[in-house]
Structures are given as C-alpha cells and as structure tokens.
Amino acid sequence: MQETGIRTGVISNLCWSGSALTRRLREAFPKHSFDFILTSSEYIFRKPDKHIFDMAIHKSGLDPNDIWYCGNDLAVDVLGAYSAGLFPVFYDDRSVPSKIHEKNDSMTVDIPHLHLSNWRYLMESLIIR
C-alpha cells in the first residue's frame, strides 16, 4: 500500500501485547510497514469504545474525516469507527468460517459504510475515491 500513498494502522482487541502482534504482522506482511499497532491489552479501552479510536486518530496525525476503518464486526468495528468520526468499512468475507457471521447477521446498521467481501474491492474503492 505504500506505493499508493495509503497509510495503514491496526487497532486490535486481542489479549496479546502490541509487540507480539507486531511480530506476527511482520511475519505475515514482511514488505508492509504499519504506521502504528494498538492492542486493547495495553490500554484500558477496547473497541467499540471511542477512546481507542481517538488514540489511533492521534497517532495517525490525520483528520478523522480522512480515515477509513476496516473491520469484520458490525458492533465493534463499524459502529465504533462511526462513533469516532471515521468512515467504516465492513469486511464480510464469508469464505472464511467464523462465528462472527452469525453475530453480524443478527444486526442491522443504518449508518453510511462500505460493505466488502474481498480486500481487492477495498483497494479499488480507495483508488477510485
């Protein structure tokens, strides 16, 4: 994504430390450099709490209106990002088995957001924008 000028960061509710998640992400994406990685285990806030999104906004140095937040949980990611003033992107990949699908299917969100099932569509949406 660096070649496109798109910056990336991570907000995670994992119990791992930020350094452990950073190591795993570097192994999975050796050519990618995230601007920041926040894990709720190192803060007193968890998504969807607005404060953890506010910390990410601060770390990014960007205006919230210029940030898209991608996540796979409607309640935690989409509604949380929206409440913090970010544009939510709901990543709904049904090819990957997950219990989150059942939870998401029981919800309806009536806020502006982008609904994607493939990362390629995200890249296309960002480039078109």
Side-chain angles (χ1 to χ4, degrees), residues 38-80:
L38 295 174
T39 59
S40 59
S41 65
E42 296 180 331
Y43 299 93
I44 58 173
F45 307 109
R46 293 177 52 83
K47 296 181 296 180
D49 191 294
K50 183 180 180 301
H51 291 90
I52 198 156
F53 289 99
D54 288 342
M55 287 188 297
I57 293 165
H58 179 74
K59 285 185 174 286
S60 77
L62 298 171
D63 185 275
N65 294 318
D66 295 328
I67 301 172
W68 288 23
Y69 184 82
C70 303
N72 68 340
D73 186 315
L74 282 171
V76 171
D77 296 315
V78 173
L79 295 176

Side-chain angles (χ1 to χ4, degrees), residues 67-74 77-78 81-82 86-92 112-119 121-122 125-126:
I67 301 172
W68 288 23
Y69 184 82
C70 303
N72 68 340
D73 186 315
L74 282 171
D77 296 315
V78 173
Y82 185 77
L86 310 177
F87 181 72
V89 177
F90 176 43
Y91 182 64
D92 187 24
H113 70 285
L114 184 60
H115 186 161
L116 303 173
S117 60
N118 186 301
W119 284 120
Y121 302 138
L122 175 62
S125 298
L126 288 169

